Amino acid sequence: RIETTNGTTQDLELDVNKLHSLPSEQQDLYLLNFVSDLLHHVEGFDSESLPSHQAAVKRELLKIAGLASPAPSRVIRNNLGYIFADIFRRGSRNLLYETINDLVGLVTSGKGEKELKIKHAAVVCIGQIFKAAGSSAASLANLACSSLIRLIKQAQTHAGLRGSIFRALSLIIEGVGHSVDEQIARDVLK
């Protein structure tokens, strides 16, 4: 968290230009440090002050998840998912539908190799969000599940992505519980 001169808290913002100006071997480390700082920043908020910062945190998380270069590594993807889960578990759920729709948009866009890396980050985040706040977004579970099931076909040669998809599907079902649509449940079991 960054304290300003008047004692207020300023949200962290990823400097993408600085990130891309670094040599490629330093970009991953810079991104990892930023995500770690963002995690500590979010953990520093109590439940009452977190909602006022959620929009800024969400914007930064989506910016990182959507990075084609450097693609978020496993540690970064997991931390992004953890931060998303934390802000919706402890904070307001006003941005929940918008966030899930944004992440599903990342999952359904593009078909290239670079897009698969972006989709991988979005898949992890979707699963963690549903685990934390799935009961409040049960109506979006069908959309999320069907998008993930379609992505399995694109991920034929990516064992890590396929594993993340199956994990996210199980977290969606866990988060939604008995509210899951019968047809989607059948598709997931296939």
Side-chain angles (χ1 to χ4, degrees):
R1 177 165 45 185
I2 301 171
E3 297 291 330
T4 59
T5 54
N6 61 4
T8 60
T9 304
Q10 179 181 347
D11 290 312
L12 295 176
E13 189 172 333
L14 177 65
D15 187 351
V16 178
N17 291 331
K18 181 177 179 181
L19 173 68
H20 289 139
S21 70
L22 293 170
S24 60
E25 61 273 0
Q26 292 179 2
Q27 290 180 359
D28 287 328
L29 183 59
Y30 180 81
L31 188 58
L32 180 61
N33 283 331
F34 178 81
V35 171
S36 176
D37 291 344
L38 185 60
L39 173 65
H40 294 300
H41 178 69
V42 170
E43 287 176 337
F45 294 122
D46 58 18
S47 296
E48 289 78 37
S49 62
L50 181 58
S52 64
H53 298 276
Q54 273 183 272
V57 172
K58 173 197 163 249
R59 186 173 47 252
E60 292 308 305
L61 292 172
L62 288 172
K63 185 189 307 182
I64 295 166
L67 281 175
S69 173
S73 66
R74 180 176 178 227
V75 172
I76 292 171
R77 288 190 303 265
N78 290 339
N79 279 319
L80 293 177
Y82 176 81
I83 296 169
F84 266 125
D86 186 39
I87 65 173
F88 289 117
R89 186 180 303 113
R90 292 187 308 125
S92 169
R93 294 188 176 178
N94 292 338
L95 298 173
L96 183 62
Y97 276 67
E98 179 183 327
T99 302
I100 292 171
N101 282 324
D102 290 342
L103 290 167
V104 167
L106 289 176
V107 167
T108 58
S109 66
K111 293 193 184 251
E113 185 67 29
K114 285 185 177 180
E115 286 84 6
L116 281 180
K117 294 176 180 179
I118 293 170
K119 292 175 186 203
H120 199 164
V123 165
V124 171
C125 293
I126 288 170
Q128 292 301 318
I129 288 172
F130 271 96
K131 180 181 177 185
S135 60
S136 297
S139 62
L140 287 179
N142 293 346
L143 173 66
C145 285
S146 62
S147 298
L148 294 178
I149 290 168
R150 281 193 302 269
L151 182 58
I152 290 173
K153 293 174 183 148
Q154 289 181 14
Q156 296 278 335
T157 60
H158 297 280
L161 177 55
R162 278 197 328 269
S164 293
I165 292 169
F166 291 129
R167 174 80 175 131
L169 287 169
S170 70
L171 292 174
I172 291 170
I173 301 298
E174 179 183 325
V176 173
H178 297 294
S179 301
V180 70
D181 182 65
E182 186 178 336
Q183 183 60 43
I184 290 295
R186 283 189 195 131
D187 292 343
V188 168
L189 287 174
K190 280 191 226 176

